[in-house]
Amino acid sequence: PRPILDMSYSRHFLDFQGSSIPSSMKKLVVTKLSQNFREAVTLRQDSPVPLPGDGDLLVRNRFVGINASDINYSAGRYDASVKPPFDIGFEGVGDVVALGLSASAHYTVGQAVAYVKAGSFAEYTVVPANQAVPLPSVKPEFLTLMVSGATAYISLKELGELSEGKKVLVTAAAGGTGQFAVQLAKAAKCHVIGTCSSDEKGGFLKSIGCDRTINYKTENVESVLRKNYPEGVDVVYESVGGKMFDLALNSLATKGRLIVIGFIAGYQNSTGLPPIKAELLPAKLLKKSASIRGFFLNHYFSEYKMALKHLLEMCERGDLVCEVDFGDTSPEGKFVGLESVFRAVDYMYMGKNIGKIVVELPHSVNSKL
């Protein structure tokens, strides 16, 4: 028996606003392994709403985050042993609507929480209480910090060795995680260079402190770096891969550090990898005493709570811009409802977003009060 608090004895139970939580819900499920998100993922209309166990929260998702790696997950690249069908979506923000007995020691119904856990592309998600992050309110800005902000914060802190005056290059700087790399490097008194794909993105980057923006559609990144930074750059925060990786590697200064947090240019390939010219890698690193460091957030969960606490404080103080892109300018308009996750993933791979792509999940509340 799993004791559940805040549920009536009937099949339906009441949430904190007096509206009935349904017995079934919509969710996205990977039904076939593919890097083509639309091929891989199915919208299920009538999945049972899960019940929280003793140490769990049932969260009604209000906002869910889109990540480049959603298509790596749908392609089964992280764990070959997991076979479809399985749930997808990495992060969500919402309200606690029911909880188990042990979980009620720290949480209450109606509380705003965020979490990082597979299965967020659903109307309701069960989240272990010890993995939830209590929030002051349900705001989409907080969602930007969960994966994107934490990745930038921990990777730069642990691997970047930032100090005043260092030159930091951020690729895809106007994206979900790039926006934080720019601001955190600037907060460390570094000189920040950001690559982007439009003048509009360049304007956004300048507004958050970027010293030099490079629109790679209209400027040659390599030429700009060679001309303006002949000694090279000290740190590269790199998430694009392919030609951008090669270019970043060639632009490193003596003792420079290249931090790889992803390679989105290759995720849509069947292998998931963009081709790079790596044959000369040992010679290039040796010549400059340079290094390449990979960063995967899952390996740094020991640092996670501390990083998130700091980021949330900065966000609350207004010291951090947490740009959210709801797809208002996309052809079919704002991303609302689980159906629009497919469009949101396409939008990301078209490189249209400024900031973190977030999908809103509206809930009609039938209050009985």
Side-chain angles (χ1 to χ4, degrees):
R2 300 193 293 176
I4 307 294
L5 281 193
D6 300 300
M7 292 188 179
S8 71
Y9 53 84
S10 68
R11 274 189 327 141
H12 298 277
F13 44 90
L14 299 181
D15 77 0
F16 63 100
Q17 285 169 316
S19 62
S20 180
I21 291 177
S23 52
S24 64
M25 66 172 186
K26 293 179 185 176
K27 73 172 178 176
L28 296 186
V29 178
V30 176
T31 48
K32 172 191 171 187
L33 295 183
S34 171
Q35 74 277 6
N36 180 328
F37 194 83
R38 288 179 182 271
E39 267 182 26
V41 178
T42 303
L43 175 62
R44 294 251 166 99
Q45 299 281 355
D46 54 356
S47 297
V49 171
L51 289 180
D54 180 56
D56 298 331
L57 312 173
L58 179 63
V59 178
R60 182 171 66 184
N61 293 315
R62 298 268 297 282
F63 300 101
V64 294
I66 304 295
N67 291 282
S69 43
D70 287 329
I71 70 172
N72 289 334
Y73 201 69
S74 70
R77 289 175 182 149
Y78 290 138
D79 186 349
S81 68
V82 178
K83 302 288 181 248
F86 55 86
D87 297 347
I88 189 165
F90 291 132
E91 54 186 343
V93 166
D95 311 293
V96 175
V97 291
L99 68 173
L101 200 55
S102 302
S104 67
H106 303 288
Y107 288 91
T108 58
V109 162
Q111 194 161 356
V113 294
Y115 63 88
V116 176
K117 177 184 178 281
S120 71
F121 291 164
E123 290 179 312
Y124 297 87
T125 303
V126 166
V127 179
N130 60 5
Q131 289 178 28
V133 178
L135 297 175
S137 61
V138 175
K139 284 202 321 203
E141 286 75 15
F142 294 132
L143 191 57
T144 66
L145 306 175
M146 299 303 294
V147 170
S148 303
T151 295
Y153 185 98
I154 300 170
S155 64
L156 289 174
K157 178 174 176 285
E158 297 292 316
L159 311 177
E161 298 171 40
L162 301 185
S163 59
E164 187 170 350
K166 295 285 186 201
K167 293 184 280 295
V168 178
L169 171 66
V170 180
T171 63
T177 188
Q179 64 171 332
F180 295 110
V182 167
Q183 293 178 82
L184 294 167
K186 198 67 202 156
K189 300 190 170 135
C190 297
H191 177 93
V192 186
I193 310 136
T195 69
C196 61
S197 60
S198 72
D199 290 343
E200 188 191 357
K201 291 184 179 187
F204 166 69
L205 289 174
K206 288 198 174 95
S207 78
I208 60 171
C210 209
D211 296 289
R212 175 65 160 95
T213 61
I214 309 173
N215 177 351
Y216 62 79
K217 296 275 177 79
T218 58
E219 290 184 277
N220 182 302
V221 181
E222 199 164 6
S223 305
V224 171
L225 290 173
R226 197 180 298 124
K227 181 182 166 201
N228 295 345
Y229 307 96
E231 300 292 307
V233 294
D234 302 296
V235 179
V236 183
Y237 182 86
E238 216 295 273
S239 61
V240 177
K243 289 177 181 166
M244 189 63 86
F245 172 88
D246 290 326
L247 194 154
L249 177 66
N250 293 337
S251 304
L252 282 177
T254 302
K255 298 185 182 175
R257 297 171 291 290
L258 197 165
I259 303 171
V260 177
I261 63 124
F263 32 89
I264 190 172
Y267 294 168
Q268 290 175 298
N269 301 350
S270 55
T271 60
L273 295 166
I276 57 169
K277 295 174 180 164
E279 297 89 346
L280 300 172
L281 189 60
K284 285 180 178 179
L285 294 178
L286 181 64
K287 186 179 168 188
K288 294 178 176 175
S289 293
S291 62
I292 298 176
R293 304 287 299 270
F295 178 87
F296 188 45
L297 185 60
N298 293 19
H299 299 149
Y300 285 85
F301 275 149
S302 59
E303 306 292 314
Y304 186 77
K305 289 238 155 130
M306 174 278 301
L308 209 57
K309 181 173 179 287
H310 195 188
L311 286 166
L312 281 165
E313 285 168 359
M314 289 176 76
C315 182
E316 284 284 271
R317 283 199 309 267
D319 293 343
L320 201 59
V321 173
C322 305
E323 190 68 19
V324 173
D325 192 330
F326 278 119
D328 293 302
T329 59
S330 66
E332 292 170 57
K334 188 175 176 180
F335 303 133
V336 178
L338 287 170
E339 303 80 6
S340 67
V341 168
F342 298 96
R343 283 200 300 122
V345 171
D346 291 344
Y347 181 74
M348 169 169 276
Y349 278 91
M350 288 188 285
K352 300 290 188 192
N353 58 300
I354 295 181
K356 173 85 180 180
I357 302 176
V358 172
V359 174
E360 182 176 359
L361 305 185
H363 284 271
S364 56
V365 174
N366 309 315
S367 180
K368 296 177 179 172
L369 299 177

